[in-house]
Amino acid sequence: MRVLVVAARVPLERARRALHGLARRGHQIAWLGDGAPDLASVRRVRGVRELAGWQAELVTSDGPEPLRAARWGWVARVHAMVLPLSLERVTRWSALDRFAWGSLHSHGVLDGAEGEALRAAPHGIDLERVGLWPTAEFESGGEASHPDVEILERACERAIARHRGRGERVGLFLDRDGTLVREVGYLSDPGDLELLPGVDVALRRAADAGLALVVISNQAGVGRGLFPLERVYEAMARLRELLRERGVELDAIHFCPHRPGEGCVCRKPAPGLLERAAQDLQLRLSASVMVGDKRLDPATGHAAGARGVLVRTGYGREEEQVLGSDGFESPDRVFDDLPAAITWWLDEGRALGPRSAERR
């Protein structure tokens, strides 16, 4: 995402921390005002000139000041806004504040303890566009891994997707290790990320064709205690940066940190992460595809009602030899690598129609 942050005159500490975490997750951030994180990747701006040539997708702030944030959103020609909300401040919004909120496709994040009060008296705010900060206290190993950042990141993705308003998109769900990048086994060091040949060109083709690019990854090394959660976010941020340098912007990244057998709903081949991404990004799962180098990747696509493709990079060649031995339905197709899989999907695969129709 390309996000313009307009620092509030009186910031909310929780919101500012979440914005710092958003920057550490690898999103493109232009920060106007005080309080920017000390990251080389964050563009610090003081006025209109420094925004020239940089097209933001969304404006946000670390305080509940819709007029100030929206003004800069108008200048930057964005159409979506996400703000932290304070019920006490919302009740004191002026007519201009309310106009500013309604002038953009606005979403808000509110303290969970205030959720019921807002539901009883919405003050003109569409409750479907309001998310809640977690009410429980969490211990976090770093800014990027704090649960508040997850809430803010998904709110931003939803706001951008709903502003597009062009109906449901098709999702290209992508495994990471062995599919996008070289397989090294429990990758946790961002320096070990190496894009596989042709991946960037293929992803640009897919994005140009209107597909949403979503990474879906199991990261059981966290649950097994091999590395902390923060390292996953560092590696994922580096993945965003590597692809961005080659003209590719990911729409979302979702991963499961749990060990096998923990009974979570997010570990592949369970479809939970695909379903969550589809809800946030307004994706039509029956017209989408999941690509990966393990049998559980196409199986995850099938479990979500999408197509599933196996590639022979990473563990793919070994996995291909034992297809059908684990109870999973066979992949729709098997290809040498991701570029070949994307070429098939764009030329033939997406014309096949929903898998459900083939079972009738």
Side-chain angles (χ1 to χ4, degrees):
M1 292 184 292
R2 297 183 301 277
V3 180
L4 171 60
V5 176
V6 180
R9 296 182 180 90
V10 183
L12 301 176
E13 181 180 347
R14 187 171 198 173
R16 178 164 288 186
R17 178 182 61 196
L19 285 167
H20 281 214
L22 199 67
R24 293 190 181 281
R25 288 192 180 191
H27 296 285
Q28 295 185 77
I29 305 290
W31 193 289
L32 176 72
D34 298 330
D38 187 19
L39 295 172
S41 59
V42 174
R43 177 190 296 229
R44 292 162 177 80
V45 298
R46 290 171 293 182
V48 177
R49 288 185 179 180
E50 290 157 303
L51 284 173
W54 192 81
Q55 181 59 56
E57 295 176 283
L58 177 137
V59 63
T60 185
S61 178
D62 53 4
E65 300 176 4
L67 182 57
R68 177 173 166 78
R71 278 175 174 168
W72 280 101
W74 303 333
V75 169
R77 298 183 180 179
V78 303
H79 301 281
M81 178 167 67
V82 171
L83 289 182
L85 298 179
S86 159
L87 192 56
E88 185 270 334
R89 295 288 290 277
V90 167
T91 60
R92 295 190 289 111
W93 276 359
S94 67
L96 281 175
D97 285 323
R98 296 189 184 281
F99 169 77
W101 175 265
S103 70
L104 301 176
H105 193 95
S106 299
H107 286 235
V109 185
L110 183 73
D111 191 292
E114 296 184 324
E116 285 303 315
L118 184 69
R119 185 173 297 278
H123 301 282
I125 293 176
D126 183 354
L127 297 178
E128 293 296 320
R129 298 188 184 182
V130 177
L132 300 178
W133 298 116
T135 55
E137 291 294 327
F138 291 89
E139 292 186 5
S140 176
E143 287 180 318
S145 59
H146 196 283
D148 285 358
V149 186
E150 187 76 10
I151 297 298
L152 179 63
E153 183 177 49
R154 303 310 170 200
C156 291
E157 290 171 355
R158 287 193 295 272
I160 292 170
R162 279 151 183 73
H163 156 65
R164 288 192 179 105
R166 295 193 292 266
E168 293 179 321
R169 300 170 71 196
V170 172
L172 174 58
F173 296 102
L174 302 153
D175 173 55
R176 189 189 74 177
D177 302 335
T179 303
L180 293 173
V181 303
R182 183 171 59 91
E183 174 63 59
V184 298
Y186 290 112
L187 188 154
S188 64
D189 185 345
D192 289 338
L193 279 168
E194 179 185 333
L195 292 177
L196 291 173
V199 161
D200 53 343
V201 176
L203 292 181
R204 284 201 301 272
R205 280 194 65 204
D208 289 344
L211 274 64
L213 309 181
V214 183
V215 173
I216 303 289
S217 179
N218 285 346
Q219 293 293 319
V222 175
R224 289 185 165 120
L226 300 180
F227 45 82
L229 186 60
E230 193 74 7
R231 295 306 298 271
V232 181
Y233 285 111
E234 291 173 2
M236 292 300 191
R238 180 57 183 154
L239 176 64
R240 286 186 185 277
E241 292 164 359
L242 282 174
L243 289 172
R244 187 175 298 134
E245 290 166 1
R246 293 160 175 80
V248 177
E249 191 69 34
L250 296 174
D251 288 84
I253 293 175
H254 290 259
F255 66 87
C256 170
H258 304 111
R259 300 187 311 274
E262 282 195 52
C264 67
V265 298
C266 54
R267 180 175 172 79
K268 296 183 292 186
L273 294 183
L274 274 68
E275 292 169 347
R276 188 183 308 170
Q279 183 178 26
D280 287 343
L281 301 176
Q282 294 189 305
L283 307 179
R284 185 154 52 101
L285 285 172
S286 62
S288 299
V289 63
M290 171 86 208
V291 183
D293 69 315
K294 294 182 179 178
R295 288 167 290 166
L296 58 76
D297 291 309
T300 304
H302 293 163
R307 297 279 175 180
V309 170
L310 181 73
V311 289
R312 298 186 179 101
T313 48
Y315 293 111
R317 292 190 183 279
E318 301 168 26
E319 295 277 301
E320 185 181 16
Q321 301 306 310
V322 290
L323 286 176
S325 65
D326 50 12
F328 290 146
E329 186 178 351
S330 295
D332 291 287
R333 292 292 296 271
V334 181
F335 293 99
D336 283 341
D337 54 21
L338 181 63
I342 288 178
T343 295
W344 168 76
W345 180 255
L346 294 178
D347 294 346
E348 304 175 38
R350 59 180 172 173
L352 294 175
R355 294 182 66 255
S356 56
E358 298 175 0
R359 297 177 184 176
R360 297 192 187 110

